[in-house]
Amino acid sequence: MKTTLTLHMFGQTDVGLSREHNEDCIGWDDKGLVVLADGMGGHNAGEVASKLAVDAITEALNTSIFNQKKVDESVEPVTTAVSEANRVIFEHASTHIQCAGMGTTVVMGLFIGDTCTLAHVGDSRIYRLRDTKLEQLTSDHSLLQEMINEGHMTREEADDVVNKNLITRALGIAPEVEVDVQQQVLQDGDIYLLCSDGLTDLVTDEGISICINESITDIEHATNALVGLANSRGGSDNISVILVKVGAAK
Ligand code: CA
């Protein structure tokens, strides 16, 4: 008999210790949708962009996908939803002078049955913890990552670069956007992590892995611990974290 998988999700977004405003935005729906966006453009712009992204994606997928429940048919609606969010933000920026130039990263996951469909634009990330091992599933759309991909720099050298945050793709800055979409088969015990660079700039993958493994039975605690860890290292940016734990139905 096929095992039914259950989802337990929890998220937190925190202003950090040095910014006055939180330009990140998160949203989740226990039915199986998580979205996290890291806006840019300053107060009254970055937070507008990130909220528009979360709202547009949530609205687009709520109406279309949960009724059909066919995993194979998830890639197109997910791509369409992220593209639609891009269009909404670009249009808003074009018609509101205070929002000119705003944009946002996005990472999202749609969990249906035994599969999740993941999408991302920018340098927010998705990781998976499976059998205690953490793996980054997304590749940053950043200048730094492109230099690593093209062999101009090693991962170790990149750790020493001061400005890690120049991104090469974002929602809202052009009429069209290229969206990276992938699908993963879920296993009982998997934990998916979506996060903004406010976490990953301050906490290494090893630090993230230890933190989640220490609180593996309590993802709300793990979420708080990750945010606390970034703040204990200076909290120089807004910090957002969503965890999704996959379990077998009892
Ligand atoms: Ca950020």
Side-chain angles (χ1 to χ4, degrees):
M1 201 179 82
K2 206 172 179 189
T3 317
T4 306
L5 295 171
T6 59
L7 300 172
H8 180 202
M9 42 184 74
F10 191 73
Q12 192 180 342
T13 183
D14 188 270
V15 69
L17 299 177
S18 60
R19 299 276 172 95
E20 285 188 18
H21 304 280
N22 191 346
E23 296 182 37
D24 288 0
C25 186
I26 62 172
W28 73 89
D29 179 328
D30 289 324
K31 281 188 285 187
L33 177 67
V34 286
V35 190
L36 181 152
D38 176 353
M40 62 207 84
H43 181 40
N44 282 333
E47 60 213 63
V48 175
S50 59
K51 185 166 190 319
L52 284 172
V54 171
D55 288 351
I57 289 169
T58 305
E59 190 181 334
L61 291 175
N62 250 336
T63 50
S64 69
I65 200 89
F66 287 117
N67 299 326
Q68 63 190 53
K69 291 270 180 191
K70 284 186 190 140
V71 174
D72 304 351
E73 296 169 9
S74 295
V75 170
E76 195 194 330
V78 162
T79 309
T80 305
V82 178
S83 302
E84 170 64 9
N86 179 69
R87 191 193 60 74
V88 168
I89 299 162
F90 183 72
E91 205 168 280
H92 192 95
S94 311
T95 50
H96 296 75
I97 186 76
Q98 72 276 18
C99 292
M102 72 176 177
T104 184
T105 71
V106 74
V107 279
M108 58 144 297
L110 180 69
F111 294 75
I112 295 180
D114 66 352
T115 305
C116 65
T117 306
L118 308 172
H120 85 289
V121 174
D123 68 350
S124 297
R125 292 179 181 172
I126 304 174
Y127 291 85
R128 178 182 59 209
L129 188 83
R130 176 174 281 174
D131 301 330
T132 75
K133 287 188 194 65
L134 190 76
E135 181 186 359
Q136 185 179 334
L137 300 177
T138 53
S139 177
D140 297 350
H141 302 136
S142 68
L143 204 57
L144 203 60
Q145 187 61 48
E146 282 185 8
M147 289 179 75
I148 295 168
N149 294 348
E150 289 166 14
H152 300 305
M153 195 181 274
T154 64
R155 171 74 58 190
E156 289 67 36
E157 287 167 341
D159 285 340
D160 297 328
V161 172
V162 177
N163 192 350
K164 295 184 168 70
N165 309 102
L166 287 172
I167 61 174
T168 49
R169 270 193 236 174
L171 296 187
I173 53 172
E176 304 286 334
V177 70
E178 189 184 346
V179 186
D180 284 6
V181 183
Q182 60 179 297
Q183 290 193 308
Q184 298 285 342
V185 176
L186 304 175
Q187 286 183 15
D188 180 17
D190 281 349
I191 295 180
Y192 284 81
L193 161 68
L194 287 75
C195 59
S196 61
D197 64 346
L199 177 71
T200 51
D201 279 355
L202 296 175
V203 185
T204 62
D205 289 5
E206 192 188 357
I208 291 171
S209 175
I210 291 168
C211 193
I212 301 177
N213 274 306
E214 279 176 355
S215 307
I216 204 142
T217 56
D218 183 349
I219 62 160
E220 293 182 22
H221 184 265
T223 306
N224 289 327
L226 287 169
V227 171
L229 197 52
N231 275 328
S232 74
R233 297 188 181 165
S236 53
D237 193 2
N238 308 141
I239 306 145
S240 298
V241 172
I242 301 176
L243 290 173
V244 180
K245 186 169 184 182
V246 180
K250 299 276 183 311

